[in-house]
Amino acid sequence: MISTNAASMIRVHGISGKAAAAWQIGDWGNSWTAITSEIPVESGWLESGEEYRLCFWLNGGENSRGDETCMLEIYGDDWEDRLTFRLNRDHTMPLLEKDHWLLFGVPFRAPQATAALKFRFIAAGAVCTIAGIQDMDMNAAEALTPDKRETNLPQRHNIVFPHGYPSQSNQTLLNKHGEQSRMRTAAFCAGAAAIAGITAAVVIHKLRRRK
């Protein structure tokens, strides 16, 4: 619905070594790009009143000018009542960083009076890549040892390398063309859904209620 969309699907390799689909959106110009998916609020999908996390890996989304847009919107029938999460420049804290990919677990509550929730990723002014959770296993992703934060870099690493991001070790997590990927698997993830056409990629993870 947006004539300036700059989006393409690519393949990335994750902790299991399996290739997975990912969306690469935005460009280095002013093209406003958005990808949207809709999940029903009904039994078997999202349960009204329950708390969830939208879980995904993100790379890039920043430029050296500081004028980029990289965000997630979650909304129901009323777009004006949306949740907005800015995913660039430390506005929304990721769970961890690994090989310059950020793992996010964005919290939300399924509303009572809407038929479905929309999830929209938006990028402009910089390339942003959104990838799913390998094998739908959030426990394995959250158990990773995060990289030491590099504070001397002016911006995040965006995937612009012709042969993928250079591996720093033999445990590359998400590398566009990486071959060496290994990590132990963990427990089952509570729930999942396809976001913006990425089958079995971005995870909807139901939060346990605190007693």
Side-chain angles (χ1 to χ4, degrees), residues 86-98:
R86 296 175 65 184
L87 302 175
N88 56 339
R89 302 188 183 273
D90 294 331
H91 292 289
T92 302
M93 181 178 293
L95 299 175
L96 58 87
E97 179 177 350
K98 188 68 174 179

Side-chain angles (χ1 to χ4, degrees), residues 62-69 86 88-89:
E62 293 188 355
N63 61 38
S64 59
R65 307 186 304 268
D67 63 353
E68 73 283 357
T69 297
R86 296 175 65 184
N88 56 339
R89 302 188 183 273

Side-chain angles (χ1 to χ4, degrees), residues 13-17 170-174 178-183:
H13 288 77
I15 57 179
S16 67
N170 63 352
Q171 292 189 345
T172 300
L173 174 66
L174 286 169
E179 282 102 12
Q180 295 180 340
S181 303
R182 62 174 185 237
M183 176 57 68

Side-chain angles (χ1 to χ4, degrees), residues 20-99:
W23 276 105
Q24 194 166 73
I25 64 175
D27 59 20
W28 298 105
N30 296 318
S31 297
W32 185 268
T33 300
I35 55 173
T36 307
S37 187
E38 185 175 293
I39 300 179
V41 179
E42 61 184 45
S43 179
W45 294 89
L46 298 175
E47 304 285 345
S48 294
E50 294 292 331
E51 296 176 332
Y52 296 88
R53 290 188 300 172
L54 179 66
C55 303
F56 56 92
W57 289 99
L58 183 140
N59 180 281
E62 293 188 355
N63 61 38
S64 59
R65 307 186 304 268
D67 63 353
E68 73 283 357
T69 297
C70 181
M71 64 181 176
L72 166 68
E73 295 179 336
I74 303 176
Y75 56 97
D77 297 334
D78 185 3
W79 181 77
E80 295 292 340
D81 194 31
R82 67 193 181 279
L83 298 175
T84 300
F85 300 89
R86 296 175 65 184
L87 302 175
N88 56 339
R89 302 188 183 273
D90 294 331
H91 292 289
T92 302
M93 181 178 293
L95 299 175
L96 58 87
E97 179 177 350
K98 188 68 174 179
D99 292 341

Side-chain angles (χ1 to χ4, degrees), residues 150-170:
E150 296 180 356
T151 58
N152 60 328
L153 296 175
Q155 64 183 86
R156 297 179 192 162
H157 291 260
N158 293 275
I159 298 183
V160 293
F161 302 97
H163 301 294
Y165 181 77
S167 297
Q168 295 178 337
S169 69
N170 63 352

Side-chain angles (χ1 to χ4, degrees), residues 128-140:
C128 169
T129 304
I130 303 154
I133 308 304
Q134 282 292 314
D135 297 325
M136 312 299 290
D137 196 338
M138 267 303 292
N139 290 321

